[in-house]
Amino acid sequence: MLVDANLLLYAVDRGSSFHEAARSWLTEQLTGARIDHFAEIGMAGFVELTEALGGVPVCLKAPERDSYSGVDLPAGQSLVSGAGALAFVRQRHGLEDGDLDRIARQQAFAAGLAQRVLAPSTITDPARLQRLVDIATRYVVLDSGWDLEQAVSQLRQVSADALTFHTIPTGRPDLRTPVDGIAVQIDRDAVQAFVGSLLGSATLGSATTPTTPPTLTPPTAGSSPTARPATDDDPLTQQRAGTPETGGTSAPPTSERPVITAQGVPCVD
């Protein structure tokens, strides 16, 4: 099971020395769950990956055409790759629930991507698998305790049908932050209760004591990334949902978001 990280990781100050290396650490502090490993791929790698797989299946409930993201797809199932895949996961403008709908898009895309990557035609095809490894070598960033050989070996043991995507509970979608505009409000206690109900006690509790943020292993040679713990100045939206905040209106937590699985091709807004 994968717990969606998009809403968990709003505390990124893009103008500071805060680095992606702190993401796993921040997620642990917010959710109370242990994060074993961290991997990240940039936009260029994302485009090449979808092309190497021959496209990723997605499904829309209604036709979408958006000049901001570049998405232009009919209702129903489509096969997207390259720039078209990037447009599908980036659209926010014109979606009723904005960031939350975009997260559902990304979860649905990840489900389709898992189907492609874990399909027998991929993992048993040496040439295709080698191309994926080449892309990962150039574009994927792993934490220092994990290497690509280990990641590929573990990937072979995963069943796409076992993957489930959840979105954490949220509050107001218009929370003002000190440095980065509007954010989606979250309640730390509610998030930890939610994650605990999904994962159980086996993976909880180890993150309650602050630990050193992990060091990432970059895909190319270079200096080690820097990281710092989050501070009170970071826009972590940890106030309780429903708490009034200057410049905005109080709102109750959002309704429960749909659970997305990799069984079939999930249709989203």
Side-chain angles (χ1 to χ4, degrees):
M1 176 168 53
L2 300 180
V3 179
D4 179 64
N6 291 281
L7 284 181
L8 303 184
L9 303 171
Y10 183 72
V12 177
D13 180 354
R14 292 191 293 260
S16 74
S17 61
F18 189 78
H19 192 272
E20 303 294 344
R23 287 197 170 202
S24 292
W25 183 85
L26 279 172
T27 305
E28 289 185 341
Q29 303 311 302
L30 179 59
T31 66
R34 184 181 67 250
I35 305 301
D36 295 318
H37 293 296
F38 173 86
E40 176 186 278
I41 187 169
M43 288 187 181
F46 176 93
V47 168
E48 281 199 36
L49 178 63
T50 59
E51 292 174 341
L53 290 169
V56 173
V58 297
C59 180
L60 288 174
K61 295 178 181 178
E64 283 288 348
R65 187 172 186 176
D66 174 52
S67 60
Y68 290 85
S69 63
V71 69
D72 186 4
L73 292 171
Q77 293 190 23
S78 299
L79 198 63
V80 296
S81 65
L86 196 58
F88 178 84
V89 300
R90 293 182 70 184
Q91 184 186 2
R92 175 175 57 184
H93 184 267
L95 299 180
E96 182 177 357
D97 287 332
D99 281 322
L100 295 175
D101 279 342
R102 178 163 67 173
I103 287 171
R105 284 272 189 98
Q106 293 167 356
Q107 291 172 337
F109 182 87
L113 182 66
Q115 291 178 28
R116 286 290 200 182
V117 171
L118 300 175
S121 59
T122 299
I123 60 178
T124 61
D125 183 336
R128 175 172 285 188
L129 191 59
Q130 185 58 51
R131 185 178 178 190
L132 296 181
V133 169
D134 290 342
I135 293 171
T137 301
R138 285 181 287 126
Y139 294 113
V140 173
V141 177
L142 301 174
D143 66 70
S144 59
W146 206 23
D147 61 39
L148 193 55
E149 184 177 347
Q150 292 174 319
V152 172
S153 176
Q154 292 173 342
L155 191 63
R156 291 176 182 269
Q157 303 174 40
V158 175
S159 168
D161 290 345
L163 295 178
T164 308
F165 299 84
H166 297 260
T167 301
I168 61 172
T170 61
R172 281 182 23 218
D174 61 346
L175 181 71
R176 294 186 180 181
T177 68
V179 296
D180 206 19
I182 302 300
V184 177
Q185 183 186 34
I186 58 175
D187 179 336
R188 187 175 187 170
D189 291 342
V191 169
Q192 293 196 357
F194 176 77
V195 173
S197 70
L198 293 175
L199 302 183
S201 60
T203 56
L204 299 178
S206 62
T208 56
T209 301
T211 57
T212 303
T215 300
L216 295 184
T217 302
T220 57
S223 59
S224 299
T226 58
R228 63 169 175 81
T231 70
D232 289 341
D233 293 330
D234 288 324
L236 272 170
T237 58
Q238 294 182 1
Q239 69 190 91
R240 302 212 188 282
T243 302
E245 184 265 343
T246 304
T249 58
S250 176
T254 58
S255 58
E256 185 174 329
R257 303 294 297 179
V259 175
I260 291 177
T261 72
Q263 297 177 354
V265 181
C267 277
V268 292
D269 292 322

